[in-house]
Amino acid sequence: MTARLAQVAAQAGVSEATVSRVLNERPGVAESTRRAVLTALDVLGYDRPSRLRESSAGVVGLIVPELSNPVFPGFAQVLETGLVVNGYMPLLCTQTPGGVQEDDYLRMLLDRGVAGIVFVSGLHADTTSDPKRYVRLRDRGLPLVLINGYQPDVDAPCLSNDDAVSIELTVNHLVALGHSRLGLAIGPQRFRPVERKVAAFGAAVRRHVGADAPAPVERTIFSVEGGYAAAGRLLEAGATAIVCGSDLMALGAVRAVRDRGLDVPRDVSVVGSDDSPLMAFTDPPLTTVRQPVQAIGDAAVRALVDEIAGHPTQRGEFLFRPELVVRASTGAVPAR
């Protein structure tokens, strides 16, 4: 084995230690050097390790949740486009309830020797999940980028929408319209973006409305049906404005308001989150907080490409500022 390392090192013009790092997929090797070592293996007639074979070279895994929420196809499109422009082939892995899950996809991607993986709102966003799956991936030198779900124990860049700012923009807008009885319809508490939005909502209501102002929160599922159910309970609590954790939930909230013989926005204002495609064409057009999908996706591609090339990027979480998009689903508080 030592003689083989020496031959490959001499052919590639690098040290034996560098050859070892390439063969064991250790970090700290420039992409040009990695390719020189792999080419030397080919020239000398040695078989590449299965994980380094050319058939998988340049393939990047994209693991995203189910595509029923329009924000996730949006992320997939931005990431795929950016990776292709940079010479990589994206392999989209979509999770489905009761179907193939994140760990299953991980095994498949590792078997194919992918160059790196981008995770969008995966288990890294679940505060109850074990981050060791990502730690093990980094220990073997695999470049990772996490989107919308910070894991401080994982040595990888994380890019997130600033959820606290999303809530602040929404509450400030509704209070300016005269609303003082606001409610939040949100997903399960275990998700980090949910955790942050719930904390920000209570703080924003106390700051803008008053220390004793009610700030009811209904936790449900991220779907039209979940938004419908949560909105019903918030309406019973007297809310005149409903802040939703997703645009799909907001559409469910609008339906719940109308099923009670009320009007949006004359009687109740509704705000979504993400600014998914077609939200400008709903009835009424939805006021929502636009998640900077393009900016986050572009930054994720740049970070991953740099990591693959052996140029580690800055670690920690990078927050991207959202934008409030005011349409016709919010209006002045109804006269009592």
Side-chain angles (χ1 to χ4, degrees), residues 16-314:
E16 292 182 33
T18 298
V19 174
S20 179
R21 284 199 295 272
V22 171
L23 296 180
N24 290 288
E25 296 186 282
R26 297 300 182 190
V29 180
E31 179 62 19
S32 58
T33 302
R34 190 186 76 87
R35 292 190 180 278
V37 170
L38 296 179
T39 300
L41 285 173
D42 298 336
V43 169
L44 294 171
Y46 294 131
D47 289 334
R48 296 188 184 189
S50 59
R51 62 185 181 277
L52 296 176
R53 288 173 186 164
E54 192 63 37
S55 59
S56 294
V59 175
V60 169
L62 303 180
I63 300 183
V64 302
E66 69 278 1
L67 300 181
S68 57
N69 186 333
V71 73
F72 297 129
F75 268 117
Q77 182 174 1
V78 172
L79 292 167
E80 288 180 335
T81 301
L83 288 167
V84 169
V85 167
N86 282 276
Y88 292 91
M89 179 183 295
L91 182 58
L92 181 62
C93 303
T94 305
Q95 302 177 69
T96 56
V100 181
Q101 298 300 304
E102 183 171 309
D103 287 337
D104 301 318
Y105 278 128
L106 277 179
R107 286 189 289 270
M108 178 192 74
L109 292 171
L110 292 175
D111 287 344
R112 284 159 175 76
V114 293
I117 304 177
V118 180
F119 296 87
V120 180
S121 299
L123 290 174
H124 63 284
D126 189 335
T127 59
T128 65
S129 70
D130 188 352
K132 289 181 180 177
R133 58 172 51 84
Y134 305 108
V135 174
R136 287 192 292 268
L137 293 174
R138 288 298 299 130
D139 285 345
R140 62 186 292 167
L142 185 68
L144 307 177
V145 174
L146 310 179
I147 292 178
N148 284 341
Y150 182 44
Q151 282 286 358
D153 296 329
V154 180
D155 181 30
C158 177
L159 314 172
S160 300
N161 177 69
D162 194 327
D163 297 305
V165 170
S166 292
I167 292 295
E168 175 67 22
L169 292 171
T170 302
V171 171
N172 185 60
H173 169 64
L174 293 170
V175 170
L177 292 172
H179 293 275
S180 60
R181 300 186 65 85
L182 285 67
L184 176 65
I186 198 72
Q189 180 68 24
R190 70 180 188 274
F191 295 115
R192 197 170 301 278
V194 170
E195 185 180 72
R196 290 175 170 179
K197 285 185 176 181
V198 169
F201 181 71
V205 170
R206 289 190 297 272
R207 184 166 56 254
H208 291 287
V209 181
D212 298 325
V217 176
E218 288 293 336
R219 295 176 179 82
T220 181
I221 57 176
F222 284 109
S223 68
V224 173
E225 294 76 15
Y228 182 94
R233 295 189 290 270
L234 291 171
L235 291 171
E236 291 172 3
T240 62
I242 300 174
V243 181
C244 297
S246 74
D247 290 333
L248 292 182
M249 294 177 73
L251 296 182
V254 170
R255 183 187 299 173
V257 172
R258 288 174 170 169
D259 282 355
R260 286 159 176 76
L262 302 174
D263 180 76
V264 176
R266 187 186 64 234
D267 301 304
V268 180
S269 290
V270 175
V271 181
S273 180
D274 293 335
D275 193 28
S276 309
L278 304 181
M279 290 304 107
F281 306 99
T282 58
D283 180 24
L286 187 67
T287 294
T288 185
V289 180
R290 178 178 296 156
Q291 184 174 176
V293 172
Q294 185 73 49
I296 293 175
D298 289 344
V301 170
R302 288 196 301 272
L304 190 71
V305 169
D306 283 346
E307 290 278 336
I308 294 172
H311 308 300
T313 58
Q314 186 176 346

